[in-house]
Amino acid sequence: MTSDKQHQQKKTDFIRDLVRADQSSKRHSGRVQTRFPPEPNGYLHLGHAKSICLNFGIAEEFGGICNLRFDDTNPVTESVEFVHSIQRDIEWILGKQISTRPLFASDYFEQMFEWAVLLIEKGKAYVDDQDAETISELRGNFTEVGVDSPFRKRTPEENLKLFQMMRDGDFPEGSCVLRAKIAMDHENMNMRDPVLYRIRNESHFRTENDWVIYPTYDWAHGQSDAIENVTHSLCTLEFESHRLLYDWFIEQLEIPLDKRPYQSEFARLNFTHTVLSKRLLKRLVEDCVVEGWDDPRMPTISGLRRRGYPSEAIRNFCDHIGIAKTNSTHEIELLESFVRTELNQSAQRRMAVIDPVKLTITNWPTGKLEYRTAINNPEDKSAGTREIPFSGNLLIEREDFMEDPLPKFFRLSPGREVRLRYGYFVTCTGFINDENGDLVEILCTYDPETSGGKAPDGRKVKATIHWVEEANSQRGSVATYARLFSSEKPDAFDDPFDDLNKESREVFETATFEPSISDVENGEVVQFERLGYFCRDESKEILFHQTVGLRDEWANIQKRNKSK
Ligand code: ATP
Ligand code: MG
């Protein structure tokens, strides 16, 4: 067996090839340093997981380090709550603690300010009194060049004075900005005198009221990388056209060659039936479409954790899809198949009936209770067995009975014999409906000779159903989930919220479980026989969230694609 490290060394993709080449040409004296730079303005999602696996993975594979750096340059939307959730989620995804302490772009505000002063002194930045709308209008577009601001000719002395006044709070919000002085006719729009600082009279969750000017993302990002000595600055494709600007800043600031970060771009992760934009995820929370960032229907790390996704499954998925340079969308079923593979190995089996109806065995000896032996995990012998009570008073799934069975329905119906999992063969002899015609009880007889799950005369049954013994059952709730968005591409809607599936959650409040359910810990995932994988919630009452079903829908999709 190869060790993890050997396995990882074999990984190849265009970024790893580049890192290898840089290491052998000693570009940064062979050093490799990456970073994961989230903005603390929301919870992390699956897309972030890809970036986390990439950045931390590369650092580990090449003997380098990866810092968690909060890109906290926007005082309005950021908070400590998000900082804490992000750190927790990263460590969960990685399956270990982050070895370096978290860093914050806000710790570099003073250095960024000094560098902005340096640009002004070099005649490469100016204070512009135009309002945001005018600035945006005069930037031009892909076919039209931009127009110089009337304030572009200000002298460095005047700009230095004005920039200091901006910092000192002498101007109202929106009255002026600091811009880089590059070229308003540049073919790359990002080079048309981008804004570096805005006035914002807002308190920041870390620097509090120290600043009333805040750097823009474009100004803060590359400079933060340079301050930290990041060697490989990995980001998503939409920043490709910003690279020229970031390199221009670094050049102007005369950062020594071996200290310059080099940016490479990779494709964002997208899934069918899923939105991964923080803006939309925030709206789902704020509009109470879901019950919070950790609602099990959310593609957030905290939502998936609550739903019972093992972090190994997410890591394995990220390994499997690798890194590419073109954006594409992955089927959500592929991720689910990784989850299923992982849980099939690790999850204990239990019996639960989530929509129960009584099944009475009329020829069962009155008052008799016996124990049946059930296998905890057929994939893992060491998980052992358990004893489950069995009697003549059982509960089975309402949908496992049909008064008039449809073709291909092989489960219980009048006159039909089926196997009770770990129990006996039973034959339906009758049923009782209430005055509304709703089924309340199914009557059966059992064959005592079928205790081993087989009939001595060799007769076969077409279905095995699960059950719970009524008197010893535990009660609780089970939530099952469908896709939060109905169509494969919710992003294709003008408003993806028009595509929301109104029936994405169903809660069964009268679910019943075999007694050993009480051994299942909060956060643990079990397989409910025939139903799927379910994760026990942290709440005091018994509540389970459906993690994923048993059927491999990914296999079906592959078959469908092959036959196309
Ligand atoms: P959003 O667009 O959802 O607001 P973001 O990119 O602004 O996300 P950040 O907190 O800035 O969110 O993201 C931190 C890092 O995670 C960035 O370096 C970004 O490249 C990466 N990232 C974000 N979304 C994805 C994604 N869908 N796939 C891969 N990486 C992503
Ligand atoms: Mg971002």
Side-chain angles (χ1 to χ4, degrees):
M1 213 50 195
T2 52
S3 74
D4 256 14
K5 196 144 192 180
Q6 279 167 323
H7 167 70
Q8 286 171 342
Q9 277 293 349
K10 281 197 220 127
K11 274 192 219 168
T12 52
D13 53 56
F14 70 96
I15 292 182
R16 285 173 170 87
D17 291 347
L18 186 89
V19 175
R20 273 189 201 104
D22 287 346
Q23 234 180 2
S24 52
S25 71
K26 302 265 182 290
R27 168 127 85 164
H28 297 95
S29 320
R31 221 166 45 77
V32 172
Q33 184 170 331
T34 56
R35 81 285 173 274
F36 175 66
E39 195 185 335
N41 63 351
Y43 280 61
L44 297 185
H45 54 60
L46 277 169
H48 294 117
K50 174 175 176 180
S51 181
I52 291 167
C53 290
L54 177 67
N55 280 295
F56 284 92
I58 288 202
E60 191 173 333
E61 286 156 54
F62 294 91
I65 58 167
C66 174
N67 283 315
L68 160 60
R69 178 180 73 240
F70 290 100
D71 239 318
D72 56 341
T73 51
N74 182 348
V76 184
T77 54
E78 298 165 357
S79 77
V80 182
E81 177 201 348
F82 296 133
V83 167
H84 290 155
S85 77
I86 287 171
Q87 197 161 349
R88 175 170 184 219
D89 288 351
I90 296 173
E91 295 191 336
W92 182 77
I93 282 287
L94 294 174
K96 60 182 168 206
Q97 295 208 320
I98 306 171
S99 54
T100 55
R101 77 188 160 81
L103 306 175
F104 293 85
S106 56
D107 284 341
Y108 314 141
F109 281 172
E110 192 62 46
Q111 173 71 73
M112 289 180 205
F113 178 83
E114 282 169 27
W115 273 339
V117 166
L118 186 67
L119 284 190
I120 296 174
E121 286 169 351
K122 293 175 88 172
K124 300 289 183 185
Y126 61 100
V127 174
D128 192 345
D129 297 356
Q130 297 179 116
D131 59 31
E133 206 178 314
T134 313
I135 290 178
S136 157
E137 246 166 54
L138 298 186
R139 267 180 90 209
N141 52 42
F142 287 110
T143 51
E144 276 173 59
V145 296
V147 177
D148 283 4
S149 158
F151 303 98
R152 202 171 192 268
K153 292 204 183 72
R154 279 176 166 159
T155 62
E157 292 70 33
E158 191 183 0
N159 284 317
L160 281 176
K161 197 179 101 208
L162 291 171
F163 188 46
Q164 185 62 45
M165 288 173 76
M166 277 172 70
R167 177 178 179 164
D168 293 343
D170 294 343
F171 301 125
E173 234 177 73
S175 61
C176 54
V177 294
L178 184 74
R179 293 178 78 177
K181 190 170 175 178
I182 309 178
M184 289 307 289
D185 58 358
H186 204 287
E187 60 178 12
N188 182 330
M189 296 276 292
N190 296 304
M191 301 296 275
R192 294 185 188 171
D193 293 8
V195 173
L196 307 186
Y197 277 93
R198 291 193 180 92
I199 298 171
R200 310 191 81 163
N201 288 315
E202 299 283 349
S203 175
H204 181 281
F205 76 97
R206 293 188 77 245
T207 60
E208 297 179 349
N209 299 318
D210 292 352
W211 294 88
V212 292
I213 54 171
Y214 288 94
T216 55
Y217 179 83
D218 273 346
W219 174 241
H221 196 71
Q223 277 43 264
S224 300
D225 283 347
I227 290 167
E228 289 171 6
N229 288 328
V230 167
T231 58
H232 296 83
S233 177
L234 311 176
C235 65
T236 40
L237 283 175
E238 66 273 24
F239 291 102
E240 193 165 13
S241 63
H242 295 237
R243 190 184 338 125
L244 193 64
L245 174 63
Y246 298 164
D247 290 346
W248 185 88
F249 286 143
I250 296 290
E251 185 72 35
Q252 299 305 316
L253 299 174
E254 296 171 40
I255 307 285
L257 278 179
D258 65 345
K259 290 212 147 79
R260 293 186 181 188
Y262 289 88
Q263 177 175 303
S264 309
E265 306 86 13
F266 61 95
R268 289 181 88 81
L269 179 58
N270 295 304
F271 285 104
T272 52
H273 300 286
T274 308
V275 300
L276 286 183
S277 133
K278 242 190 258 166
R279 186 179 56 79
L280 289 172
L281 296 179
K282 213 182 182 95
R283 209 176 123 202
L284 286 169
V285 175
E286 283 168 0
D287 292 3
C288 299
V289 173
V290 294
E291 288 186 345
W293 287 97
D294 68 347
D295 186 295
R297 288 165 292 178
M298 290 283 272
T300 50
I301 304 302
S302 50
L304 299 172
R305 178 171 57 232
R306 186 143 174 245
R307 191 162 176 171
Y309 274 41
S311 66
E312 295 89 322
I314 299 176
R315 289 198 296 274
N316 291 343
F317 170 83
C318 289
D319 260 6
H320 173 83
I321 58 164
I323 303 298
K325 196 115 191 137
T326 27
N327 281 321
S328 65
T329 300
H330 291 276
E331 321 268 0
I332 192 72
E333 290 85 354
L334 176 60
L335 175 64
E336 289 171 348
S337 78
F338 276 85
V339 172
R340 202 176 287 114
T341 302
E342 198 66 39
L343 292 177
N344 184 41
Q345 298 299 319
S346 62
Q348 294 227 352
R349 276 54 168 172
R350 290 289 182 274
M351 296 235 266
V353 173
I354 63 174
D355 185 15
V357 65
K358 273 170 180 291
L359 182 150
T360 305
I361 302 176
T362 51
N363 60 340
W364 186 261
T366 312
K368 180 178 173 186
L369 184 77
E370 67 177 34
Y371 281 85
R372 314 287 307 175
T373 302
I375 297 166
N376 284 331
N377 184 353
E379 304 293 324
D380 174 11
K381 280 237 153 54
S382 71
T385 58
R386 66 189 188 286
E387 300 296 301
I388 33 181
F390 185 95
S391 78
N393 297 100
L394 306 177
L395 298 164
I396 66 160
E397 233 39 92
R398 189 168 283 275
E399 64 168 35
D400 280 338
F401 175 84
M402 273 186 118
E403 184 180 336
D404 297 308
L406 293 171
K408 294 200 179 164
F409 181 89
F410 300 119
R411 292 166 272 164
L412 264 187
S413 55
R416 174 87 51 84
E417 184 171 50
V418 300
R419 179 189 293 107
L420 293 176
R421 175 88 167 136
Y422 296 124
Y424 301 83
F425 283 15
V426 290
T427 304
C428 177
T429 53
F431 61 93
I432 301 169
N433 285 349
D434 65 11
E435 63 272 23
N436 303 320
D438 292 332
L439 179 71
V440 288
E441 189 174 353
I442 300 161
L443 305 173
C444 290
T445 54
Y446 86 114
D447 177 355
E449 299 297 315
T450 56
S451 170
K454 274 192 200 140
D457 62 4
R459 73 180 189 278
K460 297 267 185 290
V461 287
K462 282 197 170 157
T464 301
I465 64 175
H466 62 276
W467 50 272
V468 162
E469 199 279 324
E470 188 175 13
N472 289 283
S473 67
Q474 302 254 358
R475 308 277 157 153
S477 302
V478 169
T480 60
Y481 299 103
R483 308 271 177 240
L484 190 51
F485 292 91
S486 303
S487 79
E488 282 199 2
K489 292 185 184 156
D491 284 329
F493 283 68
D494 284 341
D495 180 358
F497 275 42
D498 292 341
D499 186 35
L500 275 171
N501 174 8
K502 299 271 177 332
E503 279 147 28
S504 55
R505 180 172 69 167
E506 189 172 2
V507 183
F508 296 86
E509 286 175 348
T510 56
T512 57
F513 311 90
E514 60 167 88
S516 69
I517 205 70
S518 45
D519 306 342
V520 179
E521 285 172 26
N522 291 354
E524 187 181 339
V525 179
V526 288
Q527 183 193 107
F528 289 151
E529 301 251 0
R530 295 182 62 232
L531 296 176
Y533 295 96
F534 290 80
C535 180
R536 182 158 183 178
D537 194 74
E538 300 286 336
S539 55
K540 265 209 218 97
E541 301 76 36
I542 301 183
L543 165 65
F544 280 87
H545 302 286
Q546 180 188 33
T547 311
V548 63
L550 292 175
R551 214 161 3 113
D552 188 356
E553 284 153 347
W554 171 242
N556 292 341
I557 289 177
Q558 274 179 311
K559 259 191 232 146
R560 206 169 60 212
N561 289 346
K562 261 194 201 137
S563 64
K564 260 184 199 164

